Amino acid sequence: ARDCSSDVCSSDLKRRQGFQVLTLKVGDDPVADAELTLAVAAQAQPGDRILADANGGWLLHEAMTYIHRIQDAPGVMIEQPCETVSDCVELGKRTNHPIVLDESIDDLGVLSSILTLKQVSAVNLKIERIGGITKTRQMRDLCLKAGCAMFVQEVGGAEIRSEGRRV
């Protein structure tokens, strides 16, 4: 079993800093991942959301094991539970927990198909992976038109550095 105490303490610190969406990296062992999720959920305050990001690490049956174990935990969103869109969509049909797609969103055609199926709750658009601001804006517009919630992130270049120059 996984020692969840440090993860729970970390989530408590993040909450005190004003964060309301707590991201957990999961996607290895669905049973241990569920234990971690439940431990964090037990400490959650009203309005907190838990984003369990599996990075496509589970097969469909493993994702189902995780879903079954956390079914009563409020406020849990599952990001990219499986590698394939079809498995993520199938999982979305079998749970009330929101499914957020991430790694599988890489072009307008894929996004359009996903939005047509209406089996995911949100998408996470990462500007660099998608190919820049223009493509991300097109995807954002498509999500807005479809009424799909989204996160827009830029993971690379998140820090601004200033270096002095010697003359």
Side-chain angles (χ1 to χ4, degrees):
R2 185 175 180 170
D3 177 18
C4 301
S5 60
S6 64
D7 294 302
V8 172
C9 290
S10 176
S11 67
D12 189 47
L13 173 63
K14 292 296 184 189
R15 184 182 308 102
R16 287 195 308 268
Q17 293 173 338
F19 290 90
Q20 288 186 306
V21 177
L22 307 170
T23 300
L24 302 177
K25 290 299 181 181
V26 297
D28 294 320
D29 175 353
V31 174
D33 292 340
E35 290 173 7
L36 168 63
T37 304
L38 292 171
V40 172
Q43 299 298 317
Q45 303 297 314
D48 284 352
R49 302 284 291 174
I50 298 167
L51 182 63
D53 186 356
N55 288 317
W58 293 318
L59 299 173
L60 180 58
H61 75 275
E62 293 171 321
M64 289 302 303
T65 297
Y66 175 82
I67 290 293
H68 177 72
R69 290 178 172 267
I70 66 150
Q71 65 186 351
D72 295 329
V76 178
M77 303 176 285
I78 302 120
E79 183 173 344
Q80 197 69 41
C82 305
E83 185 176 350
T84 68
V85 171
S86 60
D87 282 353
C88 290
V89 167
E90 183 60 33
L91 188 66
K93 293 176 184 176
R94 299 180 186 197
T95 183
N96 290 329
H97 287 287
I99 302 295
V100 179
L101 290 187
D102 181 356
E103 284 85 2
S104 56
I105 308 291
D106 56 7
D107 68 44
L108 279 170
V110 170
L111 179 60
S112 181
S113 297
I114 289 167
L115 295 174
T116 301
L117 295 171
K118 298 183 180 187
Q119 293 298 319
V120 298
S121 301
V123 295
N124 190 353
L125 305 175
K126 292 184 178 167
I127 297 169
E128 184 175 334
R129 192 189 68 244
I130 289 170
I133 292 173
T134 301
K135 287 184 180 180
T136 303
R137 182 177 177 184
Q138 292 170 334
M139 290 184 171
R140 181 212 58 187
D141 292 348
L142 192 58
C143 288
L144 289 172
K145 185 176 179 181
C148 181
M150 74 196 100
F151 301 94
V152 179
Q153 296 180 326
E154 175 51 62
V155 292
E159 292 183 17
I160 298 174
R161 294 186 179 178
S162 173
E163 295 186 27
R165 186 184 295 180
R166 288 187 140 185
V167 185

